[in-house]
Amino acid sequence: MVKKRPKVFVTRRLPEAVETRMAELFDVTLNLDDTPLDRSTLATAMTEYDVLVTTLTDDVDASLIAHSGPQLKLIANFGNGVDHIDLKAARAHEIIVTNTPGVLTDDTADMTMALILSVPRRLSEGERVLREGRWQGWSPTMLLGHRIHGKRLGIVGMGRIGQAVAQRARAFGMAIHYHNRRRLPEAVERTVEATYWPRLEAMLSRVDIVSINCPLTPETNKLINDERLRLMQRHAYLINTARGEIVDETALVAALERGGIAGAGLDVFEQEPAIHPRLLDLPNAMLLPHMSSATIEGRLAMGEKVIMNIRVWADGHRPPDQVLEGWA
Ligand code: DGY
């Protein structure tokens, strides 16, 4: 008996090789002009397709899930974070949700490290000086930044990405501190000589750079708020490559403006793609357009994972990257 090919709807453009493979394997509808889908198109797709391939730009909330058709059985997210999908509602409707863990760990950790190096050393300020024709030649006091070696890094969220950041930072001579819901096994701590802080507040006031590497959940929403920013030292920096909503952006802007902290490196924002207008005016903030995982290798690997999850599910098995509620 020839098995029916699952009807798959892909909400954004994916690398060509991934789309082509999907077209070979599934009865697939692609979004070739790559415009983020409006709610009604998404809602319609959810009543017609067996599988929805989402990205972080799709807000798959409880109401959309409640109105989905009985044929929708799998949401195969192209990406790691699933904070844009209501997992509880999906479970209630017996829709499996999968993601693409592991394959963007190194790229995200590399970019985190790039910001850890770039912000204290004022790289984007330097580039602007040069491009705007303001460089008068070398001077002993020009664009002085801060040394990374010997500084304390406080990692908030010591999962796969947090640990990969710790390994990189250790190689740059930083001391590793971390806050996590659960303490890591001693053997893992030892590999990077990490110091565990059960209380985030205690860690924030002692480290020189804070790196946010936890997932966005109801518990981590606005975790770095005004009160916690005020605990950080005036010479400290904040790096966020996780999710914008974990940091209260208005409070962060205020902290940067009053010199409460020295600078910030941000790859993610509360209202993407909108950026807090005052952030754009701050020379001590380095801002990137959510590109931490943007490598060709990473995107292809993400595509392979999505395809694998759909195939395993279509064969009647539990897909390898099924996300369980409370995944964080
Ligand atoms: C993810 O997959 O969640 C990342 O944020 C994409 O960069």
Side-chain angles (χ1 to χ4, degrees):
M1 190 183 85
V2 181
K3 265 207 267 158
K4 211 172 125 261
R5 297 186 339 151
K7 272 186 84 180
V8 176
F9 187 88
V10 182
T11 67
R12 297 297 299 267
R13 274 228 75 169
L14 302 180
E16 240 175 69
V18 176
E19 290 183 344
T20 307
R21 190 68 187 129
M22 283 184 165
E24 285 168 354
L25 295 168
F26 314 129
D27 176 1
V28 73
T29 298
L30 303 168
N31 174 5
L32 291 179
D33 66 8
D34 199 30
T35 36
L37 293 190
D38 59 45
R39 203 175 160 76
S40 79
T41 312
L42 198 56
T44 306
M46 290 172 74
T47 60
E48 292 175 357
Y49 288 79
D50 308 319
V51 180
L52 192 64
V53 176
T54 52
T55 73
L56 60 87
T57 56
D58 303 303
D59 188 8
V60 187
D61 59 25
S63 146
L64 274 180
I65 290 172
H67 292 98
S68 64
Q71 82 305 324
L72 180 67
K73 289 290 174 218
L74 175 65
I75 299 176
N77 189 55
F78 184 89
N80 204 17
V82 286
D83 45 272
H84 56 291
I85 301 170
D86 191 316
L87 296 179
K88 207 167 166 190
R91 196 179 55 155
H93 282 75
E94 293 177 355
I95 298 170
I96 293 173
V97 177
T98 59
N99 67 345
T100 61
V103 292
L104 24 76
T105 303
D106 284 324
D107 297 325
T108 307
D110 287 347
M111 190 65 96
T112 307
M113 198 62 219
L115 286 170
I116 291 172
L117 292 169
S118 303
V119 179
R121 294 299 303 273
R122 305 173 66 182
L123 294 202
S124 63
E125 279 180 82
E127 213 216 2
R128 251 173 284 147
V129 164
L130 189 141
R131 283 184 188 276
E132 291 165 11
R134 290 186 281 123
W135 189 34
Q136 312 269 303
W138 188 84
S139 121
T141 55
M142 183 191 69
L143 283 167
L144 300 185
H146 285 282
R147 179 182 296 158
I148 290 305
H149 193 277
K151 295 294 191 309
R152 293 193 175 107
L153 173 65
I155 298 175
V156 181
M158 200 62 151
R160 280 195 199 88
I161 296 173
Q163 290 178 45
V165 170
Q167 281 160 9
R168 284 155 177 75
R170 196 68 204 110
F172 278 87
M174 302 188 79
I176 308 301
H177 294 248
Y178 76 100
H179 167 76
N180 202 40
R181 282 192 317 180
R182 278 181 292 271
R183 186 170 183 167
L184 297 180
E186 212 187 312
V188 180
E189 281 185 353
R190 229 180 297 127
T191 58
V192 287
E193 295 172 61
T195 302
Y196 176 58
W197 295 92
R199 281 191 67 239
L200 173 62
E201 288 75 11
M203 181 178 86
L204 289 177
S205 60
R206 288 165 164 86
V207 296
D208 305 300
I209 299 182
V210 173
S211 175
I212 309 295
N213 296 108
C214 58
L216 172 64
T217 64
E219 292 75 40
T220 63
N221 200 311
K222 291 208 191 331
L223 181 71
I224 305 299
N225 55 14
D226 181 59
E227 208 178 312
R228 294 195 173 106
L229 283 163
R230 285 178 190 277
L231 296 174
M232 289 175 63
Q233 306 185 70
R234 295 183 90 80
H235 69 263
Y237 298 91
L238 180 76
I239 307 297
N240 188 5
T241 54
R243 281 291 183 268
E245 295 92 326
I246 298 170
V247 177
D248 180 334
E249 222 162 72
T250 307
L252 174 64
V253 169
L256 289 165
E257 284 176 344
R258 70 171 177 269
I261 64 172
L266 309 174
D267 183 49
V268 287
F269 303 89
E270 254 188 82
Q271 307 281 340
E272 294 179 13
I275 310 287
H276 193 298
R278 276 162 38 214
L279 261 182
L280 294 167
D281 293 333
L282 286 166
N284 52 348
M286 184 167 178
L287 312 175
L288 298 176
H290 201 147
M291 57 186 283
S292 281
S293 68
T295 65
I296 293 164
E297 295 84 351
R299 293 287 186 257
L300 291 175
M302 288 162 77
E304 277 164 26
K305 274 202 165 265
V306 169
I307 290 170
M308 180 57 72
N309 282 315
I310 299 173
R311 291 184 84 176
V312 172
W313 165 80
D315 284 344
H317 304 291
R318 183 186 157 139
D321 303 310
Q322 178 169 2
V323 178
L324 301 169
E325 223 188 302
W327 67 294

